Amino acid sequence: MSNEFTVQQLLERVNNSHQGGGNERVRRITARIVSDLFRTIDEMDVNADEFWAAADWLSRLGASGQMGLITAGLGFDRLLDIRADEADRRAGRSTDGTPRAIEGPLYIAGAPLSHYEVRVDEGEPRGEVLVMEGRVLDEQGQPVAKALVDVWHANEKGRYSHFDPDQAPYALRRRIETDDQGRYRFRSFLPPGYAIPPNSPTSELFEVLGRHGNRPAHIHFLVAAPGQRLLTTQVNIPGDTFIDDDFAFATRDGLVVTLEPGTPPAGYESLGVTAPFTRVRFDFRLQAAQDESESKPLARMARLKA
């Protein structure tokens, strides 16, 4: 057997080299990716310096923990949501629920749990006081009691706890169990938008692509209840410069909230509100789960919790 190859012969050898066993789906996906990269290198005449510069960049990207920023910034996260929406339409499933939106790379399981209401921020206010409240509803518009509303957002510098050593564990992260009427509410502050970290593998790529790395102000949610499909979503704060030009392509119709500034504090004393504040009212409408797996956390979330 000759050990000299043409490009096509090498590709066939790479994709067909196995001794049995393994995972057929992984083999097929890997073969497709390798084939596309072979074609890219060949057709774009990628030289050795360019190839090894890319390999070094990938090594630094992995070490930085920013892979989730790259997948979002190159549209892969939104692609998965688009495909999931299309699959629902093909299956005739209801599309009246709250739109899904990308989770992003910064979810942490196991945040402190409260019933009905909680103050997400701590200490002195760090911005405009916000109270967000509403209900969790099912497909028929009925309240879902004891649903879990997991909420997390960035601090005033655009950074997230756990990934930012200057913040306490679970800062600006809480879980809320809805009451018998499906209600939740929490106090925090209006978070700002933010940009990808400077002088990082992510910023290097977007600089050479001629793209910005800004995200509009947003708040993340994971909403779960027995018998209901797990909902991963995020809401946007109106008025942000990048709301229609999100680096991560995550803005969705129906998820830009309405602000109610100057809301009187009466009735919100239990959240420590003593002066007019900004209110957001938002109901989450869940889809019915077709099987038990749809109401459970995604595999990546389960690994994070382990």
Side-chain angles (χ1 to χ4, degrees):
M1 179 183 295
S2 173
N3 287 310
E4 301 300 321
F5 310 112
T6 65
V7 171
Q8 187 59 37
Q9 287 170 337
L10 175 60
L11 177 61
E12 291 174 359
R13 181 71 69 88
V14 170
N15 285 341
N16 293 306
S17 293
H18 61 90
Q19 291 75 45
N23 184 298
E24 179 59 28
R25 179 163 174 79
V26 172
R27 272 199 299 270
R28 290 177 59 201
I29 293 173
T30 301
R32 177 61 180 268
I33 294 170
V34 171
S35 298
D36 288 345
L37 287 174
F38 263 55
R39 186 175 301 110
T40 299
I41 291 169
D42 200 31
E43 294 180 359
M44 301 297 293
D45 195 23
V46 175
N47 63 41
D49 286 344
E50 292 171 325
F51 177 85
W52 289 113
D56 174 70
W57 178 83
L58 285 170
S59 296
R60 290 186 290 108
L61 176 66
S64 73
Q66 294 178 11
M67 186 65 74
L69 290 177
I70 290 294
T71 62
L74 294 181
F76 292 109
D77 293 25
R78 183 62 188 269
L79 171 64
L80 295 174
D81 283 350
I82 291 170
R83 286 176 49 80
D85 289 345
E86 291 175 346
D88 283 352
R89 285 191 288 270
R90 288 195 301 270
R93 298 186 70 165
S94 170
T95 58
D96 294 334
T98 300
R100 56 171 58 87
I102 71 170
E103 175 202 324
L106 303 172
Y107 171 77
I108 297 296
L113 177 65
S114 298
H115 178 71
Y116 171 50
E117 66 175 9
V118 68
R119 182 170 176 180
V120 173
D121 64 334
E122 300 174 359
E124 292 298 316
R126 288 176 277 172
E128 186 175 346
V129 174
L130 165 73
V131 173
M132 183 166 172
E133 63 182 341
R135 297 175 298 165
V136 176
L137 307 172
D138 63 17
E139 284 185 328
Q140 288 71 45
Q142 297 301 307
V144 180
K146 298 187 182 302
L148 287 180
V149 179
D150 215 324
V151 53
W152 68 103
H153 69 78
N155 70 1
E156 66 276 15
K157 298 178 181 178
R159 299 171 183 170
Y160 286 80
S161 62
H162 184 85
F163 302 90
D164 175 13
D166 294 333
Q167 295 187 62
Y170 294 111
L172 302 175
R173 300 176 185 272
R174 292 293 186 270
R175 287 181 298 156
I176 307 167
E177 182 185 66
T178 60
D179 66 7
D180 291 341
Q181 300 175 55
R183 298 180 303 170
Y184 76 92
R185 71 179 185 179
F186 65 88
R187 171 185 168 174
S188 192
F189 58 89
L190 283 172
Y194 56 86
I196 56 178
N199 304 313
S200 67
T202 306
S203 66
E204 289 174 18
L205 176 62
F206 282 84
E207 181 178 349
V208 297
L209 292 177
R211 286 184 51 192
H212 72 75
N214 293 285
R215 292 224 57 206
H218 60 281
I219 302 174
H220 293 272
F221 294 94
L222 176 68
V223 186
Q228 306 297 321
R229 196 179 196 182
L230 190 77
L231 173 66
T232 302
T233 193
Q234 55 182 275
V235 300
N236 286 109
I237 309 302
D240 193 290
T241 302
F242 295 100
I243 200 164
D244 294 318
D245 188 21
D246 182 359
F247 146 86
F249 311 101
T251 303
R252 298 204 61 177
D253 296 341
L255 293 178
V256 180
V257 297
T258 299
L259 301 182
E260 301 177 19
T263 300
Y268 295 87
E269 293 85 355
S270 58
L271 290 172
V273 178
T274 59
F277 64 96
T278 295
R279 179 171 62 186
V280 167
R281 290 182 282 189
F282 191 88
D283 292 341
F284 296 97
R285 187 181 288 258
L286 305 181
Q287 293 178 319
Q290 292 189 340
D291 56 61
E292 187 178 358
S293 66
E294 287 193 342
S295 63
K296 292 182 177 180
L298 303 179
R300 190 169 78 83
M301 295 177 182
R303 288 198 299 274
L304 285 168
K305 190 174 181 179

